[in-house]
Amino acid sequence: MIITDTHTHLYSEAFDEDRKETIQKAINLGVERFFIPAIDSTYTERMLALEKNFPGHMFLMTGLHPTHVKENFGEELAHVEEMLGKHTYYAIGEIGIDLYWEKKYLNEQQLAFRTQIQLAKKNKLPIVIHCRDAFDEVFEILEEEKGDDLRGIFHCFTGTLEQAKKAIGYNLKLGIGGVVTFKNGKIDTFLNEIDLNHIVLETDSPYLAPTPYRGKRNESAYIINVLEKLADIHGVSNEQIALETTKNSKEVFGI
């Protein structure tokens, strides 16, 4: 079975000591497709090197992460647009709004989010959304930008059933990762009400490791724990989860 990790930061410094081994471990378990979200321009070269070193497995995104929206966000957005003209990317992400760490740059985050959605539409690309403590703010902009040309993934979905349905209504898949295995994660209580054609798998490694690795460095191999939990919730085989979620990822990213 082919498994797709739709969100993994494999270029992160957390993998500098054992990147090759970590990726091979995941590939050996059937995780053959890795979609790589951007953070800011300082990671561009690392991302390009990752793609070069693991051909056929790594699929890059470009974008400005909301927690990295600062005074220089205009320069960063210009870099995103520049890279779109130089290289093949499969999504604009991760983009969105994060009010967990600070609210100082909310206006800038909103402008960066809206601008990057429009850039994705212009380039006929999906978006990958980061949302933390900001559902209302994210949905407000999605409502303004909704349409047939808006599509993508609501990464690390941790909302309610109502919010899940709202996200799906904007033509977004739900990115389900380690949180589904947490005792207090809550999304496991209603995911059986969400059809599998609205779900993709992700790890967000090196962050948000699933149980029983919670609190440790996450890696793409641990997507197996997410897959097994989702199979249990939906009452289907692991193979069906892998098949459905990989199909969904191909629908989003076009590859």
Side-chain angles (χ1 to χ4, degrees):
M1 59 182 181
I2 296 174
I3 302 166
T4 301
D5 187 348
T6 61
H7 202 108
T8 175
H9 299 271
L10 287 167
Y11 54 86
S12 164
E13 293 87 349
F15 298 109
D16 282 356
E17 299 298 318
D18 61 350
R19 183 171 289 105
K20 184 177 179 180
E21 296 80 2
T22 300
I23 292 170
Q24 192 57 54
K25 177 181 171 185
I27 291 172
N28 291 346
L29 290 169
V31 189
E32 296 186 17
R33 295 154 46 83
F34 305 81
F35 286 84
I36 313 297
I39 294 175
D40 64 19
S41 62
T42 65
Y43 288 97
T44 298
E45 292 306 317
R46 279 177 163 264
M47 294 175 70
L48 293 172
L50 181 70
E51 181 187 53
K52 181 180 179 182
N53 292 331
F54 299 92
H57 291 291
M58 304 294 156
F59 304 94
L60 305 187
M61 310 178 203
T62 185
L64 177 60
H65 192 293
T67 62
H68 287 243
V69 172
K70 308 295 181 188
E71 290 92 345
N72 70 334
F73 80 100
E75 297 169 27
E76 286 288 338
L77 293 180
H79 176 76
V80 171
E81 191 156 13
E82 179 190 357
M83 291 309 297
L84 283 169
K86 289 183 173 180
H87 195 76
T88 298
Y89 290 95
Y90 297 92
I92 305 290
E94 61 190 283
I95 64 175
I97 299 176
D98 188 312
L99 300 180
Y100 176 79
W101 296 106
E102 64 175 353
K103 300 178 182 178
K104 178 180 177 182
Y105 294 103
L106 173 58
N107 290 338
E108 290 85 350
Q109 285 192 41
Q110 289 169 318
L111 180 55
F113 185 31
R114 188 179 288 107
T115 300
Q116 290 182 99
I117 290 175
Q118 292 168 357
L119 194 57
K121 290 178 176 180
K122 178 183 173 184
N123 288 275
K124 295 181 170 56
L125 290 173
I127 58 173
V128 173
I129 296 174
H130 172 107
C131 172
R132 193 168 186 190
D133 288 358
F135 275 103
D136 290 344
E137 291 81 1
V138 165
F139 282 139
E140 181 181 352
I141 291 175
L142 290 176
E143 181 63 28
E144 294 172 11
E145 296 291 340
K146 68 181 179 182
D148 293 340
D149 54 353
L150 178 71
R151 61 192 173 92
I153 296 172
F154 205 114
H155 150 62
C156 190
F157 184 80
T158 56
T160 63
L161 175 60
E162 180 185 4
Q163 289 166 332
K165 290 178 177 177
K166 197 167 185 177
I168 290 166
Y170 292 120
N171 202 22
L172 301 170
K173 308 289 186 193
L174 305 182
I176 303 301
V179 173
V180 76
T181 69
F182 297 172
K183 284 184 178 178
N184 60 348
K186 297 180 182 176
I187 59 172
D188 60 313
T189 62
F190 65 77
L191 274 183
N192 63 325
E193 298 181 52
I194 303 293
D195 195 286
L196 281 176
N197 64 7
H198 300 305
I199 292 173
V200 293
L201 299 181
E202 61 170 57
T203 57
D204 199 19
S205 65
Y207 315 106
L208 288 173
T211 303
Y213 308 104
R214 191 174 183 182
K216 299 179 181 178
R217 183 191 74 172
N218 198 6
E219 55 184 79
S220 287
Y222 299 164
I223 204 167
I224 299 298
N225 299 78
V226 178
L227 182 152
E228 290 174 344
K229 179 66 175 180
L230 207 53
D232 182 56
I233 289 170
H234 278 267
V236 299
S237 67
N238 293 349
E239 288 75 15
Q240 186 172 345
I241 295 293
L243 183 70
E244 292 274 351
T245 54
T246 287
K247 176 178 68 71
N248 297 340
S249 76
K250 290 177 179 179
E251 182 185 324
V252 172
F253 295 112
I255 189 168

